[in-house]
Each structure stands twice: as structure tokens, then as C-alpha cells.
Amino acid sequence: MNFKLKMNGALWESFCERMLRHEFTWKNFTSVPHHDRGDHGIEFFTNCGVIFQCYYPDPSYSMDEYRRHVQKKINEDLKKLSKHESEIEKMLGDIKISCWVLVIPEVRTKELLKYCKSKEKQIPQLSYSIPKGISVKIETDDSFPSGSIFSRRYIGEEINIDISDINTEITEIWKSQNSTFFDNICRKTNKFSESDLERLRTSLIRQYMQVEELMDAYRDQFPDLYTEVTSIAIVNLEALKNESLFVRDEPKNILMSLLQKNRDSIKTIEQSISNNNIEIFSSGLIARWLAECKMDFIINE
């Protein structure tokens, strides 16, 4: 949400247009010319029968103010659907509309969802609507993850997911609940000749738990980035495994090399990922391999 706080109505509309055009592709997406937008309650529409409107409420609004302004926007624009029925039908051609969607930065109250359902019942049967009528929805950019990531590139937005710290008490619980993984970590770290193995193992557990949380967040919010990062980790591990067949090195040096490979590779991803998230991914994916893989691979004796 942070990047959206810096926007205004015009920037939000441009962001949404890029996002939705990417999501639906140019063959299925039409943008109403700027000077006509708002006249008929339509900013964009798709060949699959969806009308889009964008609205950027002032982020400083109280909950009640936010609700009232969004409801006013919904009410005013839906009235235009019947008021300008003939003109809208000409613009749509053979397309039949099944859904009207208002895209806003954040859905702050469930009252807005209820309001959409109440307004849905008030839309008359229109010449360009499907027989069942037009549904009314409210969405954010979270509903269009691929398009949202694409559009963020144009505003220099950096992806950053805050991950909670892991204290010693939590790592001890993890050890007891994941004895097989902990045994793998112990077996592999025994080959490091590390003076403080306990501290190293605790650190690896923290990294493992943090990367699990981060990957869950990316899988949910940024699935394309999640796939890209996990693919990078697999490729880097496989490359280092192949290299180790020909050049022997100390386990610590091998893993430091893998850590740097992960950092460098993730930084090449077109969408900017924060240094904090890059570091969690880079070290955590190594910790994950050490814990979950039974075979030693690159650190075998």
C-alpha cells in the first residue's frame, strides 16, 4: 500500500490503465479516450464484458469519510450506465457487459462490499448487459498481481515485504517440531569447522523461517516474482553442484559463493526487489536447502 499513498487521481488512473492493459492484453482491453472518461461512467472495458472505473480517495480520509466518498462515486457512475445507455451500446458494439468494477487503492471497510450488492439490484436491464444483469464489484490492484507488478515498474516502486524477527525461543520450538530438518542442518554444518556451531545453526533456522514467510507472501501477492526467484535458486544450486564436480573447495567457501550468486541473480530481475528481501531470499534459500535436502551434494566429504 505504501507506494499508493504517494499517488493522486491522475497517477492512479494511469497506473490502473497500464495494469489492466497488461492483465487483459491489448486484444481484449479498450481504454476510453481521456477527454471522454467519466462522461458515461466508463474508463476501460474488456471484450469479456467488464467495465472498469478508477477512483483515488484521499488517503487522509477517516474510515467514514472514505466510505462515503467511495459510495458517492459508485452511485454517480452507475446512474450513467442507464442515462447514456444508447451511447454506451454504440461504443461497446457486440460486447455484452456482465460486471462493473471500481478499482480503488484499498478496501477499508466491508460496508463498501455490502453497498455494491445493494446497488447491483438497482441497475435496470440494459440493452448492452447480459440477461442476468450487471454485477457490481470493488477491487484493488491486489486482484491483478501480474499487471500490478508490471505497472509498478513505471513508477520506480520497490517491492518490500516486512518479515518479523525470529527469537531464540521460537527457534527452539522449531527444532523440536522439525527434528529431521534440524538433523540435516547439524550433519552438514559439522563439516564447516565452525567454532560456534550452535550460533550458526540458530542463524540458519532463523533464515529458514524467514524465507518461508517471505516466500508465502510472494507466492500470494507476486506469483510471477515468486516463480522467478525460486527458479533462480534452483539454477544456481545446480550450477554450483556441477562446478564442484571439477573443482574441490571448502564447504564454507562453496556456500559463500552460492550466497553471492543468489544475490547477484535476484538483483537482475526487472522488477526492483528491496535489498532486505533480496538478502532474506539469498541466505534463506540456502538454509532451506541445508534443512530439507537429505543429500549433501556440494558439501560432501
Side-chain angles (χ1 to χ4, degrees), residues 28 33 45 47 83-84 94 154 172 174 190 201 206 234 241 243 263 280 295 301:
N28 302 299
F45 61 89
N47 287 2
K83 182 180 179 180
H84 303 286
D94 294 332
Y154 292 87
E172 290 301 318
W174 186 91
N190 278 334
R201 290 163 181 167
R206 286 196 181 102
I234 293 170
K241 174 188 171 184
E243 290 169 11
R263 288 171 179 157
I280 294 174
M295 299 179 70
E301 293 179 331

PDB file of all heavy atoms in Angstrom, residues 28 33 45 47 83-84 94 154 172 174 190 201 206 234 241 243 263 280 295 301:
ATOM      1  N   ASN A  28      -7.904  -7.576 -25.872  1.00  0.00           N
ATOM      2  CA  ASN A  28      -9.137  -7.706 -25.095  1.00  0.00           C
ATOM      3  C   ASN A  28      -9.450  -6.494 -24.237  1.00  0.00           C
ATOM      4  O   ASN A  28     -10.426  -6.514 -23.480  1.00  0.00           O
ATOM      5  CB  ASN A  28      -9.047  -8.945 -24.188  1.00  0.00           C
ATOM      6  CG  ASN A  28      -8.818 -10.210 -24.967  1.00  0.00           C
ATOM      7  OD1 ASN A  28      -9.649 -10.578 -25.802  1.00  0.00           O
ATOM      8  ND2 ASN A  28      -7.704 -10.881 -24.743  1.00  0.00           N
ATOM      9  N   PRO A  33     -11.021   7.243 -24.541  1.00  0.00           N
ATOM     10  CA  PRO A  33     -10.157   8.424 -24.616  1.00  0.00           C
ATOM     11  C   PRO A  33     -10.306   9.338 -23.396  1.00  0.00           C
ATOM     12  O   PRO A  33     -11.409   9.487 -22.860  1.00  0.00           O
ATOM     13  CB  PRO A  33     -10.639   9.124 -25.888  1.00  0.00           C
ATOM     14  CG  PRO A  33     -11.170   8.016 -26.738  1.00  0.00           C
ATOM     15  CD  PRO A  33     -11.792   7.048 -25.772  1.00  0.00           C
ATOM     16  N   PHE A  45     -12.937  -0.917 -20.774  1.00  0.00           N
ATOM     17  CA  PHE A  45     -13.801  -2.095 -20.841  1.00  0.00           C
ATOM     18  C   PHE A  45     -13.061  -3.212 -21.553  1.00  0.00           C
ATOM     19  O   PHE A  45     -12.077  -2.974 -22.269  1.00  0.00           O
ATOM     20  CB  PHE A  45     -15.152  -1.794 -21.512  1.00  0.00           C
ATOM     21  CG  PHE A  45     -15.070  -1.329 -22.941  1.00  0.00           C
ATOM     22  CD1 PHE A  45     -15.081  -2.232 -24.000  1.00  0.00           C
ATOM     23  CD2 PHE A  45     -15.010   0.027 -23.236  1.00  0.00           C
ATOM     24  CE1 PHE A  45     -15.020  -1.809 -25.311  1.00  0.00           C
ATOM     25  CE2 PHE A  45     -14.957   0.475 -24.553  1.00  0.00           C
ATOM     26  CZ  PHE A  45     -14.966  -0.447 -25.594  1.00  0.00           C
ATOM     27  N   ASN A  47     -13.220  -7.155 -23.706  1.00  0.00           N
ATOM     28  CA  ASN A  47     -14.023  -7.980 -24.606  1.00  0.00           C
ATOM     29  C   ASN A  47     -14.798  -9.063 -23.870  1.00  0.00           C
ATOM     30  O   ASN A  47     -15.756  -9.618 -24.404  1.00  0.00           O
ATOM     31  CB  ASN A  47     -13.130  -8.634 -25.660  1.00  0.00           C
ATOM     32  CG  ASN A  47     -12.649  -7.645 -26.705  1.00  0.00           C
ATOM     33  OD1 ASN A  47     -12.949  -6.452 -26.616  1.00  0.00           O
ATOM     34  ND2 ASN A  47     -11.905  -8.112 -27.694  1.00  0.00           N
ATOM     35  N   LYS A  83     -28.408   6.290 -18.005  1.00  0.00           N
ATOM     36  CA  LYS A  83     -28.591   7.635 -18.561  1.00  0.00           C
ATOM     37  C   LYS A  83     -28.018   7.732 -19.965  1.00  0.00           C
ATOM     38  O   LYS A  83     -28.588   8.384 -20.851  1.00  0.00           O
ATOM     39  CB  LYS A  83     -27.925   8.664 -17.652  1.00  0.00           C
ATOM     40  CG  LYS A  83     -28.093  10.099 -18.122  1.00  0.00           C
ATOM     41  CD  LYS A  83     -27.413  11.071 -17.163  1.00  0.00           C
ATOM     42  CE  LYS A  83     -27.553  12.507 -17.656  1.00  0.00           C
ATOM     43  NZ  LYS A  83     -26.902  13.479 -16.733  1.00  0.00           N
ATOM     44  N   HIS A  84     -26.883   7.066 -20.196  1.00  0.00           N
ATOM     45  CA  HIS A  84     -26.214   7.122 -21.500  1.00  0.00           C
ATOM     46  C   HIS A  84     -26.243   5.758 -22.196  1.00  0.00           C
ATOM     47  O   HIS A  84     -25.314   5.394 -22.918  1.00  0.00           O
ATOM     48  CB  HIS A  84     -24.764   7.581 -21.317  1.00  0.00           C
ATOM     49  CG  HIS A  84     -24.621   8.906 -20.634  1.00  0.00           C
ATOM     50  ND1 HIS A  84     -24.911  10.100 -21.250  1.00  0.00           N
ATOM     51  CD2 HIS A  84     -24.230   9.218 -19.369  1.00  0.00           C
ATOM     52  CE1 HIS A  84     -24.693  11.106 -20.404  1.00  0.00           C
ATOM     53  NE2 HIS A  84     -24.291  10.590 -19.260  1.00  0.00           N
ATOM     54  N   ASP A  94     -20.768  -5.279 -30.118  1.00  0.00           N
ATOM     55  CA  ASP A  94     -21.378  -6.577 -29.808  1.00  0.00           C
ATOM     56  C   ASP A  94     -21.066  -7.062 -28.392  1.00  0.00           C
ATOM     57  O   ASP A  94     -21.569  -8.121 -27.979  1.00  0.00           O
ATOM     58  CB  ASP A  94     -20.896  -7.636 -30.807  1.00  0.00           C
ATOM     59  CG  ASP A  94     -21.388  -7.352 -32.223  1.00  0.00           C
ATOM     60  OD1 ASP A  94     -22.454  -6.727 -32.357  1.00  0.00           O
ATOM     61  OD2 ASP A  94     -20.682  -7.749 -33.178  1.00  0.00           O
ATOM     62  N   TYR A 154       6.897   1.388 -13.853  1.00  0.00           N
ATOM     63  CA  TYR A 154       6.858   2.732 -14.424  1.00  0.00           C
ATOM     64  C   TYR A 154       6.858   3.821 -13.355  1.00  0.00           C
ATOM     65  O   TYR A 154       7.009   5.000 -13.673  1.00  0.00           O
ATOM     66  CB  TYR A 154       5.633   2.884 -15.319  1.00  0.00           C
ATOM     67  CG  TYR A 154       5.713   2.040 -16.557  1.00  0.00           C
ATOM     68  CD1 TYR A 154       5.275   0.720 -16.546  1.00  0.00           C
ATOM     69  CD2 TYR A 154       6.252   2.546 -17.735  1.00  0.00           C
ATOM     70  CE1 TYR A 154       5.365  -0.079 -17.684  1.00  0.00           C
ATOM     71  CE2 TYR A 154       6.351   1.756 -18.880  1.00  0.00           C
ATOM     72  CZ  TYR A 154       5.900   0.451 -18.840  1.00  0.00           C
ATOM     73  OH  TYR A 154       6.000  -0.340 -19.972  1.00  0.00           O
ATOM     74  N   GLU A 172      13.949 -22.651  19.159  1.00  0.00           N
ATOM     75  CA  GLU A 172      13.954 -23.875  19.961  1.00  0.00           C
ATOM     76  C   GLU A 172      12.700 -24.696  19.697  1.00  0.00           C
ATOM     77  O   GLU A 172      12.753 -25.931  19.620  1.00  0.00           O
ATOM     78  CB  GLU A 172      14.062 -23.527  21.450  1.00  0.00           C
ATOM     79  CG  GLU A 172      15.414 -22.979  21.861  1.00  0.00           C
ATOM     80  CD  GLU A 172      16.548 -23.952  21.580  1.00  0.00           C
ATOM     81  OE1 GLU A 172      16.370 -25.162  21.843  1.00  0.00           O
ATOM     82  OE2 GLU A 172      17.591 -23.517  21.049  1.00  0.00           O
ATOM     83  N   TRP A 174      11.032 -24.631  16.908  1.00  0.00           N
ATOM     84  CA  TRP A 174      11.197 -25.171  15.556  1.00  0.00           C
ATOM     85  C   TRP A 174      12.041 -26.439  15.585  1.00  0.00           C
ATOM     86  O   TRP A 174      11.722 -27.415  14.885  1.00  0.00           O
ATOM     87  CB  TRP A 174      11.863 -24.115  14.668  1.00  0.00           C
ATOM     88  CG  TRP A 174      11.963 -24.513  13.219  1.00  0.00           C
ATOM     89  CD1 TRP A 174      11.060 -24.267  12.233  1.00  0.00           C
ATOM     90  CD2 TRP A 174      13.037 -25.250  12.606  1.00  0.00           C
ATOM     91  NE1 TRP A 174      11.498 -24.790  11.038  1.00  0.00           N
ATOM     92  CE2 TRP A 174      12.707 -25.409  11.227  1.00  0.00           C
ATOM     93  CE3 TRP A 174      14.234 -25.779  13.073  1.00  0.00           C
ATOM     94  CZ2 TRP A 174      13.540 -26.066  10.341  1.00  0.00           C
ATOM     95  CZ3 TRP A 174      15.062 -26.449  12.180  1.00  0.00           C
ATOM     96  CH2 TRP A 174      14.723 -26.590  10.831  1.00  0.00           C
ATOM     97  N   ASN A 190      28.468 -29.656  10.492  1.00  0.00           N
ATOM     98  CA  ASN A 190      29.622 -30.294  11.133  1.00  0.00           C
ATOM     99  C   ASN A 190      30.864 -30.224  10.245  1.00  0.00           C
ATOM    100  O   ASN A 190      31.994 -30.327  10.730  1.00  0.00           O
ATOM    101  CB  ASN A 190      29.318 -31.770  11.442  1.00  0.00           C
ATOM    102  CG  ASN A 190      28.522 -31.923  12.729  1.00  0.00           C
ATOM    103  OD1 ASN A 190      28.594 -31.062  13.608  1.00  0.00           O
ATOM    104  ND2 ASN A 190      27.775 -33.001  12.838  1.00  0.00           N
ATOM    105  N   ARG A 201      23.887 -22.634  13.562  1.00  0.00           N
ATOM    106  CA  ARG A 201      22.660 -23.398  13.352  1.00  0.00           C
ATOM    107  C   ARG A 201      21.417 -22.575  13.694  1.00  0.00           C
ATOM    108  O   ARG A 201      20.407 -22.629  12.986  1.00  0.00           O
ATOM    109  CB  ARG A 201      22.714 -24.688  14.160  1.00  0.00           C
ATOM    110  CG  ARG A 201      23.728 -25.688  13.609  1.00  0.00           C
ATOM    111  CD  ARG A 201      24.096 -26.761  14.601  1.00  0.00           C
ATOM    112  NE  ARG A 201      25.092 -27.675  14.030  1.00  0.00           N
ATOM    113  CZ  ARG A 201      25.785 -28.553  14.737  1.00  0.00           C
ATOM    114  NH1 ARG A 201      25.599 -28.648  16.067  1.00  0.00           N
ATOM    115  NH2 ARG A 201      26.675 -29.335  14.144  1.00  0.00           N
ATOM    116  N   ARG A 206      16.713 -19.366  11.766  1.00  0.00           N
ATOM    117  CA  ARG A 206      16.049 -18.066  11.600  1.00  0.00           C
ATOM    118  C   ARG A 206      15.870 -17.736  10.120  1.00  0.00           C
ATOM    119  O   ARG A 206      14.797 -17.300   9.684  1.00  0.00           O
ATOM    120  CB  ARG A 206      16.872 -16.959  12.278  1.00  0.00           C
ATOM    121  CG  ARG A 206      16.820 -16.953  13.786  1.00  0.00           C
ATOM    122  CD  ARG A 206      17.318 -15.615  14.330  1.00  0.00           C
ATOM    123  NE  ARG A 206      17.296 -15.591  15.786  1.00  0.00           N
ATOM    124  CZ  ARG A 206      18.347 -15.740  16.575  1.00  0.00           C
ATOM    125  NH1 ARG A 206      19.554 -15.913  16.026  1.00  0.00           N
ATOM    126  NH2 ARG A 206      18.234 -15.701  17.886  1.00  0.00           N
ATOM    127  N   ILE A 234      17.110 -22.623  -7.869  1.00  0.00           N
ATOM    128  CA  ILE A 234      17.339 -23.983  -8.388  1.00  0.00           C
ATOM    129  C   ILE A 234      18.498 -23.995  -9.378  1.00  0.00           C
ATOM    130  O   ILE A 234      19.383 -24.855  -9.318  1.00  0.00           O
ATOM    131  CB  ILE A 234      16.060 -24.526  -9.048  1.00  0.00           C
ATOM    132  CG1 ILE A 234      14.975 -24.750  -7.995  1.00  0.00           C
ATOM    133  CG2 ILE A 234      16.347 -25.824  -9.798  1.00  0.00           C
ATOM    134  CD1 ILE A 234      13.601 -25.049  -8.579  1.00  0.00           C
ATOM    135  N   LYS A 241      26.624 -27.169  -8.007  1.00  0.00           N
ATOM    136  CA  LYS A 241      26.793 -28.618  -7.865  1.00  0.00           C
ATOM    137  C   LYS A 241      27.658 -29.155  -9.008  1.00  0.00           C
ATOM    138  O   LYS A 241      28.591 -29.947  -8.781  1.00  0.00           O
ATOM    139  CB  LYS A 241      25.430 -29.295  -7.864  1.00  0.00           C
ATOM    140  CG  LYS A 241      25.494 -30.823  -7.870  1.00  0.00           C
ATOM    141  CD  LYS A 241      24.106 -31.403  -8.076  1.00  0.00           C
ATOM    142  CE  LYS A 241      24.161 -32.894  -8.304  1.00  0.00           C
ATOM    143  NZ  LYS A 241      22.820 -33.465  -8.607  1.00  0.00           N
ATOM    144  N   GLU A 243      29.811 -27.433 -10.850  1.00  0.00           N
ATOM    145  CA  GLU A 243      31.160 -26.889 -10.714  1.00  0.00           C
ATOM    146  C   GLU A 243      31.979 -27.687  -9.699  1.00  0.00           C
ATOM    147  O   GLU A 243      33.185 -27.892  -9.861  1.00  0.00           O
ATOM    148  CB  GLU A 243      31.103 -25.427 -10.292  1.00  0.00           C
ATOM    149  CG  GLU A 243      30.581 -24.496 -11.382  1.00  0.00           C
ATOM    150  CD  GLU A 243      30.286 -23.109 -10.846  1.00  0.00           C
ATOM    151  OE1 GLU A 243      30.673 -22.819  -9.698  1.00  0.00           O
ATOM    152  OE2 GLU A 243      29.663 -22.306 -11.579  1.00  0.00           O
ATOM    153  N   ARG A 263      22.380 -13.478  -4.589  1.00  0.00           N
ATOM    154  CA  ARG A 263      22.236 -12.022  -4.520  1.00  0.00           C
ATOM    155  C   ARG A 263      22.293 -11.390  -5.904  1.00  0.00           C
ATOM    156  O   ARG A 263      21.428 -10.589  -6.276  1.00  0.00           O
ATOM    157  CB  ARG A 263      23.340 -11.426  -3.644  1.00  0.00           C
ATOM    158  CG  ARG A 263      23.208 -11.675  -2.160  1.00  0.00           C
ATOM    159  CD  ARG A 263      24.474 -11.225  -1.448  1.00  0.00           C
ATOM    160  NE  ARG A 263      24.416 -11.416  -0.007  1.00  0.00           N
ATOM    161  CZ  ARG A 263      25.494 -11.526   0.755  1.00  0.00           C
ATOM    162  NH1 ARG A 263      26.704 -11.468   0.218  1.00  0.00           N
ATOM    163  NH2 ARG A 263      25.362 -11.685   2.061  1.00  0.00           N
ATOM    164  N   ILE A 280      17.137 -11.821   2.469  1.00  0.00           N
ATOM    165  CA  ILE A 280      16.379 -12.924   3.072  1.00  0.00           C
ATOM    166  C   ILE A 280      16.261 -14.080   2.087  1.00  0.00           C
ATOM    167  O   ILE A 280      16.443 -15.247   2.449  1.00  0.00           O
ATOM    168  CB  ILE A 280      14.988 -12.444   3.529  1.00  0.00           C
ATOM    169  CG1 ILE A 280      15.114 -11.442   4.681  1.00  0.00           C
ATOM    170  CG2 ILE A 280      14.129 -13.636   3.972  1.00  0.00           C
ATOM    171  CD1 ILE A 280      13.796 -10.816   5.104  1.00  0.00           C
ATOM    172  N   MET A 295      20.531 -35.210   0.944  1.00  0.00           N
ATOM    173  CA  MET A 295      21.851 -35.443   0.360  1.00  0.00           C
ATOM    174  C   MET A 295      22.749 -34.226   0.559  1.00  0.00           C
ATOM    175  O   MET A 295      22.298 -33.090   0.621  1.00  0.00           O
ATOM    176  CB  MET A 295      21.715 -35.751  -1.124  1.00  0.00           C
ATOM    177  CG  MET A 295      20.880 -37.003  -1.401  1.00  0.00           C
ATOM    178  SD  MET A 295      20.702 -37.359  -3.148  1.00  0.00           S
ATOM    179  CE  MET A 295      22.365 -37.865  -3.534  1.00  0.00           C
ATOM    180  N   GLU A 301      31.938 -34.924   1.740  1.00  0.00           N
ATOM    181  CA  GLU A 301      33.350 -35.089   2.080  1.00  0.00           C
ATOM    182  C   GLU A 301      34.088 -35.767   0.936  1.00  0.00           C
ATOM    183  O   GLU A 301      33.529 -36.559   0.206  1.00  0.00           O
ATOM    184  CB  GLU A 301      33.468 -35.915   3.352  1.00  0.00           C
ATOM    185  CG  GLU A 301      32.919 -35.166   4.568  1.00  0.00           C
ATOM    186  CD  GLU A 301      33.019 -36.004   5.826  1.00  0.00           C
ATOM    187  OE1 GLU A 301      32.973 -37.246   5.697  1.00  0.00           O
ATOM    188  OE2 GLU A 301      33.140 -35.429   6.913  1.00  0.00           O
TER     189      GLU A 301
END
